[in-house]
Amino acid sequence: MKRRSVASVRPAYRDDIGDLQTRRPLPGPGVQQVDPFLFLNHHGSQVYPPNNGGLPFGPHPHRGFETVTFILEGSLAHHDSGGHASVIEAGGVQWMTAGSGLVHAEISPPEFKQHGGALEILQLWVNLPSRLKMVAPHYVGLQREDIPDVSLDEGRVTLELIAGEHAGETGPVESLTGVFMSVLRLAAGGRAELPAPSGRNVFLYAVSGQARVAGERVEPWHLVEINDDGDTLVIEAETQCCYLFGHAEPIGEPVVTHGPFVMNTQEEIAQAVRDYQDGKFGSGLSL
C-alpha cells in the first residue's frame, strides 16, 4: 500500500448569512470543485439564545445534484415537495437527491427556536453525472443511532460510516454513484490509516482540532486537497479532532451552475428555471 500525499491546504473563508456564522471552504480561491464534490458550507459552531428566529433556509428549489447535511450540534427540520419530512438531531445526517427537481426547506424546529442552544451544521453538495441528473428525487434522514461506528486505533479513532463500506461495516446510505462518506473523530494521539483508492478523489475537511495529514500540519476550517499518488491516507491527531472524510470517482463532465441548479449546459439551466417557474418541482410544503 502506498500512502497519498497532500497537494494543498486551503482555508475556508467567512461568509455569514445574517446572524448565522458561515465558513465556506469549497468553492474557494484556486479550487472550484473536488469532482464530484462541489460545495461545502460550515455553519457555526455558535449558541442561539431562547426565542430565536432559527435557520434562514426556507423553501427553495434544487436540481441536478445531491445535498448531504451533517448536524453536529443542535437539530434540523427538513420538509420537501416530495412529501418527505423529518427532524434530525445532533449526530444525524440528511442525504437528499434533488435529481429532476424539488423544493425543500431546512429550518429550525419550534423547540430549538423556543429554547435555543448550540448549533453546528455542515452541508455538502455532491454532483450527479448527466445520466442521473433527472433521476427521481429521494430523501434519507438518519439519526445518530442509525449510523454505524467503526472503531480504529484501539478506540482512539471513530469513523461514523454514512455511505460505503469499511472494516466489515456498511453505511446506511446507498449512494447512486458509489460515494464513500464518513465523519471521522480522533482523540488526541489517535492515528488512522484510511483507504483512499487510486483513481478516486478524496474529500477531506478539518471541522475542528489540529492534526497532521500525510505529515502536513492542518488547522481547523481547512480543506485538504489530496494527491492521487497512493491508495491510503494517514491522519494523526495532535488534539481532539473532527473531519469530514469521503472519496468518489470523478465525473469529468462540464459543470454549469445557477444558484440552486447544477447541470451540464446553459440550456439545461434555462430549462430548470422554466420548470421551476412552471411549478414542475412540486409545492405544498407544510412548514
Side-chain angles (χ1 to χ4, degrees), residues 116-285:
L119 181 77
E120 185 171 20
I121 291 174
L122 308 169
Q123 185 169 93
L124 176 66
W125 291 12
V126 182
N127 200 9
L128 289 170
S130 56
R131 64 183 177 84
L132 293 173
K133 284 195 175 293
M134 297 298 285
V135 73
H138 184 63
Y139 172 79
V140 177
L142 303 171
Q143 303 292 0
R144 178 64 188 90
E145 58 267 24
D146 300 324
I147 300 169
D149 288 345
V150 179
S151 181
L152 307 169
D153 193 22
E154 298 180 336
R156 288 183 287 267
V157 177
T158 301
L159 186 146
E160 299 170 10
L161 184 57
I162 297 157
E165 298 181 358
H166 186 56
E169 295 282 356
T170 300
V173 173
E174 294 185 20
S175 165
L176 293 173
T177 54
V179 171
F180 179 98
M181 183 52 59
S182 68
V183 175
L184 190 68
R185 300 184 190 273
L186 304 94
R191 179 184 185 276
E193 183 160 0
L194 302 164
S198 178
R200 291 171 70 89
N201 284 342
V202 170
F203 183 85
L204 188 68
Y205 174 67
V207 178
S208 62
Q210 287 85 31
R212 290 191 179 274
V213 177
E216 299 282 338
R217 181 77 179 274
V218 178
E219 300 289 336
W221 310 326
H222 282 73
L223 179 75
V224 188
E225 288 189 281
I226 304 297
N227 288 314
D228 186 5
D229 55 357
D231 43 30
T232 69
L233 180 66
V234 174
I235 303 176
E236 299 166 299
E238 297 180 350
T239 66
Q240 182 173 308
C241 293
C242 178
Y243 274 74
L244 287 191
F245 169 65
H247 53 74
E249 293 278 351
I251 295 172
E253 296 177 353
V255 175
V256 180
T257 64
H258 178 74
F261 308 128
V262 180
M263 303 302 289
N264 296 109
T265 68
Q266 198 62 52
E267 291 75 16
E268 289 171 338
I269 291 290
Q271 186 65 55
V273 172
R274 287 193 297 270
D275 288 349
Y276 171 59
Q277 292 172 341
D278 290 344
K280 294 180 180 179
F281 284 22
S283 60
L285 292 191

